[in-house]
Amino acid sequence: MITFILKRLGSGVVTLLAVSILVFSLLYVSSGSIARNILGDQATPEQLAVKEAELGLDQPVITRYFSWLTGALQGDLGASWFTSEPVANALATRIPVTMTMVSVAMILIALIATLIGVAAAVKRGWVDRVVQVGAIIGDSVPGFVIGIILVTILAIQMGLFPATSTISPGVGADAWVLSLTLPVIALLINGVTGGAQQIRSAVIKQLERDYVRTLRSRGIGEREVLFKHVLRSAAPAGLTVLSLQLIGMLGGVVIIEQIFALPGMGPLAVAATSQSDQPVVMGVVMYTVAVVIVVNLIVDLLNGWLNPKVRAS
């Protein structure tokens, strides 16, 4: 297992390096005149030259990349070209908001989707049909549409929640709860419907296996067969689906945070991308890729713990 972890960590480092090279190259090609964007149209050529030298834009792209990489390995992601705020500080103030929202949503999705999926697989009938119809509706309605509906009805019309975030440094837990409830619900609706459908399919597949009939023929109770054997065997498929949902959610929160004016990673990423703020964009991308790598590693370890065949391989 230790060898497996080391191999995955090694592949994760290679992935981070490859992504950093690709993103840095794309930003270099598409950045345009950064100095003029910062100083404005009235800047003189001399002022532009000074600003480019200050930002290191007068150096070859390879030199600039290795300068950034050296700083990143030492924990220095640079500073924003437009606000001069250190990238590490910008990420540190916004990551808690995004990760709190995503973590709460994923925990609730895992619990609710598992309960609904298992109920649909075992009960069948109308419960199964409702889950399948819900999955179709959930997949067809984007999360940002659900977010707009929620903020319009529950926040603006009924006044039950704030229409925009009240999260700021030093606020209490009640502000976090009120500000994150509607965004979490918006993420929850899409995630539960799709997750329940996949878990339902995985459980049904296991219920049709020969080992289930053998266990039943030995007089083992249906509850023990389901919770001790079927769910354990279906868990790897469910974990894979949930991990893919989490990865997709990291991209989806960009729009959700914009709708609810949350001070998370979404607005930061949008602003940095529109301005071609290279240090901030690199920081956001590296953080996101690192989260994806860690999630995949955790899922692989859980699958290995649940399935001896995976450990053997």
Side-chain angles (χ1 to χ4, degrees):
M1 185 62 73
I2 295 178
T3 303
F4 168 76
I5 295 175
L6 292 176
K7 286 182 178 179
R8 291 307 303 269
L9 289 176
S11 65
V13 171
V14 173
T15 301
L16 278 173
L17 183 62
V19 171
S20 69
I21 294 173
L22 177 61
V23 174
F24 200 95
S25 302
L26 292 175
L27 290 173
Y28 172 77
V29 172
S30 61
S31 59
S33 180
I34 297 297
R36 184 167 296 281
N37 293 339
I38 296 174
L39 299 177
D41 295 333
Q42 304 301 321
T44 64
E46 292 76 14
Q47 291 173 327
L48 294 176
V50 171
K51 176 56 75 172
E52 287 179 353
E54 177 186 335
L55 300 177
L57 298 175
D58 57 338
Q59 300 176 359
V61 63
I62 297 178
T63 303
R64 289 168 51 192
Y65 172 75
F66 279 105
S67 176
W68 174 85
L69 181 62
T70 301
L73 292 175
Q74 298 174 355
D76 181 12
L77 296 173
S80 169
W81 286 348
F82 289 83
T83 66
S84 299
E85 180 184 12
V87 176
N89 290 351
L91 295 177
T93 58
R94 291 164 174 81
I95 286 175
V97 177
T98 299
M99 291 310 300
T100 299
M101 179 173 58
V102 171
S103 300
V104 172
M106 283 307 306
I107 292 173
L108 293 176
I109 288 172
L111 294 175
I112 299 174
T114 299
L115 291 175
I116 295 176
V118 171
V122 174
K123 299 295 184 181
R124 302 292 181 92
W126 68 269
V127 177
D128 192 14
R129 288 192 292 273
V130 169
V131 170
Q132 295 188 56
V133 172
I136 296 173
I137 297 175
D139 289 339
S140 61
V141 181
F144 72 88
V145 174
I146 297 175
I148 293 174
I149 295 173
L150 291 174
V151 76
T152 301
I153 297 176
L154 298 180
I156 297 176
Q157 295 182 357
M158 301 182 65
L160 299 177
F161 298 93
T164 58
S165 170
T166 58
I167 295 176
S168 61
V171 299
D174 55 341
W176 281 74
V177 172
L178 290 174
S179 297
L180 293 180
T181 297
L182 293 184
V184 167
I185 293 174
L187 296 174
L188 195 64
I189 292 175
N190 280 118
V192 166
T193 53
Q197 171 71 4
Q198 298 299 325
I199 293 173
R200 163 198 171 275
S201 300
V203 172
I204 289 177
K205 183 178 180 180
Q206 294 300 320
L207 288 173
E208 295 174 348
R209 300 286 294 271
D210 292 337
Y211 78 89
V212 173
R213 288 190 288 270
T214 302
L215 292 172
R216 288 169 174 167
S217 66
R218 294 178 178 176
I220 297 177
E222 195 68 25
R223 185 182 299 271
E224 183 177 353
V225 170
L226 178 62
F227 290 101
K228 187 176 180 179
H229 300 280
V230 171
L231 283 183
R232 186 182 181 93
S233 299
L239 285 173
T240 302
V241 171
L242 293 175
S243 68
L244 292 175
Q245 285 191 335
L246 189 147
I247 294 171
M249 193 179 294
L250 291 175
V253 295
V254 173
I255 302 178
I256 295 295
E257 288 179 341
Q258 292 283 82
I259 293 174
F260 293 95
L262 289 168
M265 296 290 289
L268 178 67
V270 171
T273 303
S274 62
Q275 295 175 326
S276 296
D277 195 343
Q278 183 171 306
V280 178
V281 173
M282 291 296 297
V284 171
V285 170
M286 291 299 100
Y287 153 78
T288 305
V289 174
V291 171
V292 171
I293 291 172
V294 171
V295 169
N296 287 332
L297 177 60
I298 292 174
V299 170
D300 288 339
L301 292 176
L302 289 175
N303 283 337
W305 175 67
L306 292 168
N307 190 345
K309 293 182 179 179
V310 176
R311 292 199 297 268
S313 62

